[in-house]
Every structure is written in C-alpha cells, then in structure tokens.
Amino acid sequence: MSNYRIDSALLCEAFKALSNPNRLALFNRLMNCCAPGTKCSPAAAVRYCVSELGEGLDIAPSTLSHHLKELNRAGLVEMKRKGKNVECWVEPAKLERLNAFFQSSQSDIL
Amino acid sequence: MSNYRIDSALLCEAFKALSNPNRLALFNRLMNCCAPGTKCSPAAAVRYCVSELGEGLDIAPSTLSHHLKELNRAGLVEMKRKGKNVECWVEPAKLERLNAFFQSSQSDIL
DNA sequence: CCTATAATTCTAAACATGTCGAATTATAGA
DNA sequence: TCTATAATTCGACATGTTTAGAATTATAGG
C-alpha cells in the first residue's frame, strides 16, 4: 500500500495510452506478434519497425511517431533504433502487470 | 474477426474510462468490494452508493456523477436507483473480458 | 404538501489531445 | 560527400475532457 500513488499513476498512464483507437491498434499488433499458444519473449518476438506498424492505419508519419512515443512513455512498448528503422516490441512483463489488475479483485495494486 | 470494429471500439471505451485518475479510483473501489479470495458476484457484492464512492476523492458531486456516468457508459459499472441513493457495482463478467485482452497475446478479441 | 437529502443536468472555463504539414535528424549506400 | 529512406520534432489548429457551481429532479419522511 505504500506505493499506492505510484502504481495507480502508472496504471492510469497505461490505460490512457490504450484509450486511443490508433494506439490500441498499434499495441494489439505488437501483442499478436507471437505464434499461437506461446507468450512473447523479448528474444524470440517478431518486431515491427515504425512504418510497418502504421500500415493500414491511415495516419501521417508524424502522428504515428507521436502515438508510438506515447505508448513507449506509458511503458507499454519498447523501441530501439536498428539502422534506418526503429524496432518496436512489447515486453511480456508489461502484459502480466496489466492482467493482474483485472484478475484479482482484491489486489492491492492500487 | 467479423466483430473487429465493435470489439476494439468497446475495449477502447473501457480504457478511456479508466484513463482518468478519479475514475480509476472509483472503479478500483468497486472492484475491491469482495472478500479476499472470492470473486465479486452480483448478488453477494457489496454495493456503494454514489456519495460513498466519492469519499476521500475531493471532487464536486457533479463531477462525481459525471465520472460514474462515464464508467457506466463504458460498460464497466452498473447503476440502479434504490430510494434516495443510486447503487453502483461491477459485473464480474466485465473484468474477465478486460482480463482476456492482456492474457492471451494471440487473442482475436480485436 | 413541505422539507431535507441524494443525485443529475446544464453551462462555462481551463486544459489536454489528435492530427497534419513542414522542417529536421539519423542512417545506409552509391 | 550526396542522395534516398526512415523517423522525429515543431507549430498550429480543431476537438475533447475535466471540473465546479447553479439549477433541477427524485425520493423518503414528517
């Protein structure tokens, strides 16, 4: 309970990041990067570069960049430059933390 | 996949509703209404009325009412008038649907 | 019917967000 | 070094959100 404020603020930021349709679509694309039945692992996960992630979303590159920055700032998406591209991926641990919030109604995550 | 748009829109609305610190606090208070180790059930769940939920949040009654309306609109919180009060509670099924999003990275919820 | 309490609606103001286009930076390769 | 591609930053604008206060509705009880 000592970290009430911190955790609730972090959770809130995560939800805010996912509250936009375009960002939710981006995040979902990254979540679904693994083969069925397996969990994403940083080493094995398929990674998308920024422009690949934006395909079919019909938003300007600057908007795409902005949204990925928000997802990254919220701690939901990792990013790293690799040559001309910037690779994006989701750390499995992040999913588990969000999962925990809804899973246990008596959790003291907040 | 046929309900791609519908489901993603609903999810997005849920996240938007939880993206505000006050609403997240309200929702959390309702989630934590059950005894440890048990899941909320509509019949057994402790219900809070609007003013009880707002205690300690330091927001005006009109603001409180607005936020609960948003949570209700997003499908996260149920409300029903009982005398002078309006009772609020969380349906367990809603928690499970949100849970499912983060749980299975290969889900086709979107 | 009158009053007190609980909650909502309405209005308005301050603030935040989503979006694009133009300019800029980063990198690889000729 | 020059060019092409990928991505980001900046500036601006339209739209949406948060919030409080005043007015209004709903209900219970005398």
Side-chain angles (χ1 to χ4, degrees):
Chain A
M1 293 300 189
S2 61
N3 49 0
Y4 175 97
R5 287 171 184 285
I6 294 172
D7 278 344
S8 70
L10 288 176
L11 253 184
C12 210
E13 287 301 312
F15 290 138
K16 187 161 77 176
L18 297 175
S19 73
N20 172 275
N22 286 326
R23 282 197 299 267
L24 183 56
L26 292 167
F27 183 72
N28 189 246
R29 189 165 290 182
L30 286 172
M31 277 179 72
N32 293 345
C33 67
C34 296
T38 68
K39 279 224 169 190
C40 286
S41 76
V46 173
R47 299 175 180 207
Y48 289 89
C49 70
V50 173
S51 53
E52 283 173 338
L53 275 172
E55 280 171 16
L57 246 54
D58 199 40
I59 54 177
S62 58
T63 305
L64 176 61
S65 189
H66 166 72
H67 283 320
L68 284 168
K69 193 177 174 182
E70 290 294 302
L71 286 167
N72 177 252
R73 189 142 50 195
L76 293 170
V77 168
E78 314 299 316
M79 304 177 77
K80 187 174 188 181
R81 181 171 279 276
K82 193 165 192 178
K84 277 189 292 187
N85 303 309
V86 169
E87 283 185 343
C88 307
W89 71 97
V90 173
E91 292 283 359
K94 302 296 175 182
L95 295 182
E96 284 165 24
R97 291 194 62 225
L98 293 166
N99 195 27
F101 176 72
F102 295 111
Q103 203 154 33
S104 61
S105 60
Q106 68 283 358
S107 81
D108 61 348
I109 197 169
L110 272 189
Chain B
M1 292 300 191
S2 60
N3 49 359
Y4 175 98
R5 286 171 186 284
I6 293 171
D7 278 342
S8 71
L10 288 177
L11 251 185
C12 212
E13 287 302 311
F15 289 138
K16 188 162 78 177
L18 297 175
S19 73
N20 174 275
N22 286 325
R23 282 197 299 266
L24 183 57
L26 292 168
F27 182 72
N28 191 245
R29 189 165 291 182
L30 286 173
M31 277 180 70
N32 294 343
C33 67
C34 296
T38 67
K39 281 223 167 188
C40 287
S41 75
V46 172
R47 298 174 180 209
Y48 288 90
C49 71
V50 173
S51 53
E52 284 173 337
L53 275 172
E55 280 171 16
L57 245 54
D58 199 38
I59 53 176
S62 59
T63 304
L64 176 61
S65 189
H66 165 71
H67 282 321
L68 285 168
K69 194 178 175 183
E70 290 294 303
L71 286 166
N72 176 253
R73 188 141 50 195
L76 292 170
V77 168
E78 315 299 317
M79 305 177 77
K80 187 175 188 180
R81 181 171 279 275
K82 193 166 191 176
K84 277 190 288 187
N85 302 311
V86 168
E87 284 186 342
C88 308
W89 72 96
V90 173
E91 292 285 358
K94 303 295 176 182
L95 295 183
E96 284 166 25
R97 292 194 62 226
L98 293 166
N99 195 26
F101 176 72
F102 296 112
Q103 202 154 32
S104 61
S105 60
Q106 69 283 358
S107 81
D108 60 350
I109 198 169
L110 273 191

